[in-house]
Amino acid sequence: MYEVYALKYGERDTTTCQFFYRETSHAPLTLDYFVWLILGGPHPVLVDTGFREDDAQKRGIRNYVSPAAVVERAGVKPDQIPMALISHLHYDHWAGHSLFPKADFWVQQDEVAFWTGPFAREPAFSASANVEALSRLVTLNYASRMRIIHGDHEVLPGIRVHRVGGHTAGLQIVSVQTARGTVVLTSDASHFYRNVETRQPVQIITSLPEMLAAFETIHALAGKEKLIVAGHDPQVAERFTRVEDGIIKIA
Ligand SMILES: [Zn+2]
């Protein structure tokens, strides 16, 4: 049976009107930044890679620590991770890939197509891009380290990716079978619990219907145990078990 950990590597302050769809309130909002680690299988599995110091500086991130350092604190050396499931290619999920030098990266074909396609350069989308990190998609692919998949896929027994789109063109979420039930790592299919629980979208979207459908997919996958891990919500630390600073055990 698998164990799942949320590993926090930074924080950023914004306001609700900058974030939630058609929200008018100026109330403050803090985003936590996470990668997720799945242990207990034949090898560790990382979900997303975070970002490096350059993005932390550029984007006003508080309390940044390298995602590699947090993974190491959780007991796994970054160069001992052979598999990283990439929810989507925004900077905060992909730009840290070089911190994990032995990993293959599993990403949806729609996601790769979008960020190498005609709309990626538009400011509405490019604000979420680390262009240098995106350019590495090509070299990593020719080095046979990209696993470009289309649709739902079982990557190991009991660990599945599910393409939902919505927030980005090929966003995928991850379900993991654990002793406590099915853990659903939503990543940015639900940045906050408020998204999935009240069906409120965020402002960064490629498809609003897909984002709304993704909320239903999350609930269906989670079942009655409701082990839903929102992608950027500080509440993750309250709803699950804090092991030590920045390390939260989900199941
Ligand atoms: Zn994100």
Side-chain angles (χ1 to χ4, degrees), residues 106 108 149 151-155 159-162:
W106 297 64
Q108 289 286 324
I149 51 179
D152 298 1
H153 192 81
E154 187 168 57
V155 298
I159 303 179
R160 298 188 73 90
V161 295
H162 311 261

Side-chain angles (χ1 to χ4, degrees), residues 16-46:
T16 52
C17 59
Q18 289 288 311
F19 198 77
F20 293 104
Y21 192 71
R22 302 189 65 149
E23 173 64 53
T24 55
S25 158
H26 297 273
L29 185 71
T30 297
L31 282 83
D32 280 359
Y33 289 79
F34 298 101
V35 297
W36 300 272
L37 188 63
I38 305 169
L39 303 178
H43 53 72
V45 177
L46 186 69

Side-chain angles (χ1 to χ4, degrees), residues 8 27 56 65 72-73 87 94 113 141 187 196 201 217:
K8 181 179 159 184
V65 288
E72 188 142 9
R73 270 207 286 123
S87 66
W94 172 243
N141 190 30
S187 183
V196 70
T217 303

Side-chain angles (χ1 to χ4, degrees), residues 9 31-33 36 48 87-88 90-93 167 187-188 191 231-232:
Y9 67 90
L31 282 83
D32 280 359
Y33 289 79
W36 300 272
D48 290 341
S87 66
H88 62 304
H90 280 168
Y91 78 96
D92 55 320
H93 301 262
H167 172 62
S187 183
D188 294 358
H191 295 73
H232 287 276

